[in-house]
Amino acid sequence: MIMNLYTKRIVVNRLGLALSMVAMAIGLGALVWILGTLLLNGIGALGPKVFTQMTPPPGSDGGLLNAIVGSLLMVGVGTLIATPTGVLAGIYLAEYGQRSWLAPVTRFVNDILLSAPSIILGLFVYAIYVANVKHFSGWAGAMTLALIAIPVIVRATDNMLSLVPNSLREAAAALGAPKWRVILYVTLRAARAGVVTGVLLAVARISGETAPLLFTALNNQFWSSDLNAPMANLPVVIFQFAMSPYEDWEHLAWVGALLITFSVLLLSILARALTRQKIAS
Amino acid sequence: MASRSISDALTVTTDEPTRHDHTTKHWRQDALFRGTTQLFAVLVLGVLAAIVVSLVIGAAPAFHKFGFHFIFGTEWNPVTEEFGGFVPIFGTVVTSAVALCIAIPLSFGIALFLTELCPASLRTGLGTIVELLAAVPSIIYGMWGLFVFAPFFAEHVQPIAQSTLGKVPGLALLVQGPPMGIGILTAGIILAFMVIPFIAAVMRDVFEVVPSILKESAYALGCTTWEVTWNVVLPYTKAGVMGGIMLGLGRALGETMAVTFVIGNAYDLSWSLFGPGNSIASSLANEFAEAHSEMHTSALIALGLLLFVITFLVLAFAKVLLQRVARREGERT
């Protein structure tokens, strides 16, 4: 078949656009496939027992209570460490860093830490903390999670403060407010929704982190709220149970996966809704 | 930027002590507040320095003992304490390369769809859905890969690949071996799905900043949508697209749990993409907590250091490229 240039261009165009739609469909399909799998495998085993019983030994009945509590504790402590650290560092970058070399360098490094492999941060905490105290612990896990969360919060605070119009700062300064008051009571307040979004995204990110917890918090078969001892947590329990040959454990792993994914997705959607509302208003 | 310096000039005047008594107090409080925030900014820098130092110290014994053999040696045996990291290094590079080969065209398609084809009302919604793929935790991709994708792949894709590609001389080498579902190729495919949201999001963002006048001029000359994208949008956004790809590469190199589930965790070196292998991150995840000898721990930390250095360079390159785009965007407006 002989095609003239015109038909050829139209065919190439149609083909390209069709492939682009296929790409979009593959992207959507992957998400639907993954969520569908989770629902299919997880929902059957989901019951009140999951929230009231401890992780079982192989072959017997149980739940995920200690893992859920452990995860909540470590994510909570990690967020409590990371939020003030990240917000203060972000304030420096956005409000004081215009003329110094420190701010651009820190921003650059922070962006790299944001995408750096989380397992390296686990290695780092192992090397400086776990290897010295010679036991795995919840503290080590919480520290690692904080290190992962800090860059997310720094970036969000920095970006959101930079979006606050300077006229606000100038108005406050003209009223005689010292700079620290201007920042804390005017600019930070104006950027509040964005900073909260950053914190929520950070929590979403660290809730599912598994790799760095493998050699910091490790795991604990039993109930423990002692942060100075190895601590059960959902991601590591999922990993251990999913890789095991026992069917009960595998079911529990799917339930855990379902819980984690939907809470993480919910947090991400909530965070997005928060900023969108802010922009709309 | 200009208005920022005006505000600075204004606030500086309040910083200076004047005849009022309380301004001295304010000045001190300001200095204290500034110092505190600066301390935390330095802390972020300090974390990076501390990571490098602690990893170098931890890795020193392994590098000292094996030297360059640590990078090129293929023997990894904790019992005889012989550690050569070539297999995990090779696995990391190959899985990331496979992931990029799949993710780049798909991300380009998604970005093109979102910026040029999609009805405006669906744009935000679909964009968010693609971004949500990035929020799904790594371990979930791993479980899905092991329990759902690998069996599907072994049953429906691998036999077909072997009966077709397997007949082609040269390519046959890549697809030999039993179709187990797990292995280097599966790990690469799962990784591709994990990095698509990152690359697609950057591509979409840089496609959106192409000035409409450029696109409209091309359309006015009679170009098709595809020609506008290929000959106007893509050349204009070259640096940004490259930055997005590097960002995806940085993610793929260090991705741990998803790979650990599906790569097979074997220290075998083979040309077959269907064969099991290992990556740096999956070696660490599998062995580190159980490593007892000092040399084993040190060898694993050395692998971690290599991974960190590689991802650092890739991410720094990505950042530089994306900064250049942002700067150009700043000049234009």
Side-chain angles (χ1 to χ4, degrees):
Chain A
M1 197 179 91
I2 303 161
M3 279 195 291
N4 62 26
L5 187 60
Y6 185 64
T7 358
K8 197 180 140 202
R9 285 176 57 206
I10 287 182
V11 168
V12 168
N13 186 43
R14 293 246 169 92
L15 204 69
L17 299 189
L19 285 178
S20 140
M21 282 183 210
V22 171
M24 189 70 217
I26 290 176
L28 291 184
L31 189 66
V32 171
W33 195 1
I34 290 170
L35 296 186
T37 310
L38 283 175
L39 282 173
L40 206 69
N41 289 299
I43 210 112
L46 190 65
K49 246 191 286 180
V50 173
F51 302 100
T52 54
Q53 297 191 2
M54 307 296 153
T55 47
S60 62
D61 230 17
L64 293 165
L65 179 64
N66 50 343
I68 293 172
V69 172
S71 266
L72 287 177
L73 259 177
M74 279 192 287
V75 169
V77 173
T79 313
L80 282 182
I81 301 172
T83 305
T85 313
V87 169
L88 284 170
I91 288 178
Y92 179 80
L93 295 187
E95 302 282 345
Y96 290 108
Q98 279 91 37
R99 276 179 302 263
S100 71
W101 59 270
L102 182 63
V105 173
T106 308
R107 203 173 277 137
F108 190 84
V109 165
N110 186 66
D111 275 4
I112 286 174
L113 287 178
L114 190 70
S115 307
S118 59
I119 194 163
I120 301 291
L121 293 169
L123 270 188
F124 167 62
V125 172
Y126 179 90
I128 62 160
Y129 181 72
V130 180
N132 287 327
V133 299
K134 299 207 164 44
H135 62 87
F136 299 103
S137 72
W139 284 118
M143 269 161 63
T144 318
L145 295 182
L147 286 178
I148 299 168
I150 287 171
V152 184
I153 301 175
V154 171
R155 173 101 176 248
T157 311
D158 182 15
N159 284 349
M160 289 302 145
L161 286 178
S162 308
L163 288 178
V164 175
N166 271 327
S167 49
L168 271 184
R169 294 188 183 92
E170 285 157 10
L175 288 173
K179 189 157 182 176
W180 68 272
R181 258 178 188 271
V182 176
I183 294 171
L184 286 183
Y185 292 92
V186 180
T187 41
L188 196 60
R189 202 164 276 190
R192 197 170 42 191
V195 175
V196 172
T197 300
V199 174
L200 285 181
L201 287 178
V203 172
R205 167 102 195 261
I206 60 178
S207 311
E209 276 298 345
T210 317
L213 293 180
L214 286 173
F215 30 84
T216 50
L218 201 66
N219 196 359
N220 194 334
Q221 179 102 54
F222 307 103
W223 169 264
S224 163
S225 55
D226 179 10
L227 278 164
N228 214 7
M231 193 166 228
N233 57 88
L234 264 182
V236 175
V237 167
I238 294 173
F239 178 54
Q240 193 194 343
F241 281 17
M243 292 297 234
S244 79
Y246 311 110
E247 212 164 288
D248 303 333
W249 276 16
E250 213 183 292
H251 287 314
L252 274 176
W254 280 113
V255 177
L258 181 75
L259 287 178
I260 265 195
T261 312
F262 280 88
S263 19
V264 166
L265 289 184
L266 208 69
L267 272 174
S268 311
I269 293 170
L270 193 73
R272 266 160 236 272
L274 212 72
T275 26
R276 199 163 303 147
Q277 210 175 21
K278 176 76 189 166
I279 290 162
S281 64
Chain B
M1 268 303 155
S3 56
R4 170 64 60 85
S5 55
I6 292 169
S7 90
D8 276 349
L10 279 174
T11 44
V12 164
T13 52
T14 62
D15 284 348
E16 282 161 10
T18 60
R19 59 186 178 279
H20 302 292
D21 281 346
H22 65 270
T23 41
T24 327
K25 198 178 88 193
H26 281 170
W27 186 82
R28 222 177 279 134
Q29 286 171 337
D30 259 346
L32 185 71
F33 186 69
R34 187 198 156 100
T36 315
T37 58
Q38 190 163 16
L39 183 76
F40 281 96
V42 171
L43 194 74
V44 172
L45 274 184
V47 166
L48 179 83
I51 290 174
V52 174
V53 170
S54 69
L55 290 184
V56 167
I57 292 174
F63 279 130
H64 191 71
K65 183 170 172 196
F66 301 109
F68 275 110
H69 184 71
F70 184 77
I71 296 176
F72 298 109
T74 54
E75 181 78 16
W76 183 276
N77 192 337
V79 181
T80 58
E81 299 218 328
E82 185 66 35
F83 297 107
F86 188 72
V87 175
I89 294 170
F90 180 76
T92 302
V93 172
V94 173
T95 48
S96 301
V98 171
L100 283 190
C101 287
I102 300 167
I104 291 171
L106 282 178
S107 307
F108 175 71
I110 290 174
L112 173 62
F113 181 84
L114 287 176
T115 50
E116 301 289 334
L117 301 178
C118 177
S121 53
L122 286 178
R123 199 165 288 170
T124 342
L126 287 178
T128 310
I129 291 178
V130 173
E131 282 166 27
L132 283 184
L133 265 177
V136 174
S138 169
I139 188 165
I140 306 301
Y141 280 97
M143 274 186 88
W144 174 72
L146 180 66
F147 291 111
V148 182
F149 186 76
F152 167 82
F153 196 62
E155 206 169 311
H156 299 290
V157 182
Q158 286 182 329
I160 300 173
Q162 283 181 334
S163 60
T164 51
L165 293 180
K167 303 277 188 289
V168 185
L171 284 181
L173 205 60
L174 292 176
V175 295
Q176 68 193 5
M180 295 184 294
I182 55 174
I184 299 268
L185 183 61
T186 313
I189 295 173
I190 305 280
L191 275 180
F193 281 114
M194 302 190 65
V195 301
I196 281 174
F198 294 98
I199 304 181
V202 173
M203 282 190 182
R204 179 197 57 188
D205 293 346
V206 296
F207 284 2
E208 267 170 4
V209 306
V210 176
S212 338
I213 192 139
L214 281 183
K215 287 196 277 184
E216 280 159 15
S217 313
Y219 278 122
L221 290 172
C223 287
T224 60
T225 308
W226 180 257
E227 283 164 347
V228 170
T229 310
W230 201 249
N231 299 322
V232 177
V233 173
L234 211 51
Y236 188 84
T237 55
K238 219 168 22 194
V241 167
M242 203 56 207
I245 292 170
M246 288 293 125
L247 204 64
L249 177 61
R251 289 270 171 183
L253 287 168
E255 193 44 68
T256 312
M257 296 321 291
V259 175
T260 308
F261 268 98
V262 294
I263 199 167
N265 301 310
Y267 285 98
D268 301 335
L269 193 61
S270 88
W271 286 110
S272 173
L273 288 175
F274 288 176
N278 222 337
S279 79
I280 294 178
S282 67
S283 305
L284 286 172
N286 276 318
E287 292 176 34
F288 196 80
E290 273 121 49
H292 289 301
S293 82
E294 229 159 83
M295 192 49 76
H296 193 183
T297 310
S298 173
L300 287 168
I301 293 181
L303 278 182
L305 178 64
L306 284 177
L307 176 67
F308 188 64
V309 171
I310 299 169
T311 45
F312 188 93
L313 293 177
V314 169
L315 291 169
F317 185 48
K319 183 82 180 105
V320 168
L321 285 170
L322 290 172
Q323 251 172 3
R324 201 188 294 165
V325 177
R327 205 169 301 138
R328 190 167 62 176
E329 173 68 2
E331 278 163 14
R332 207 172 55 80
T333 45

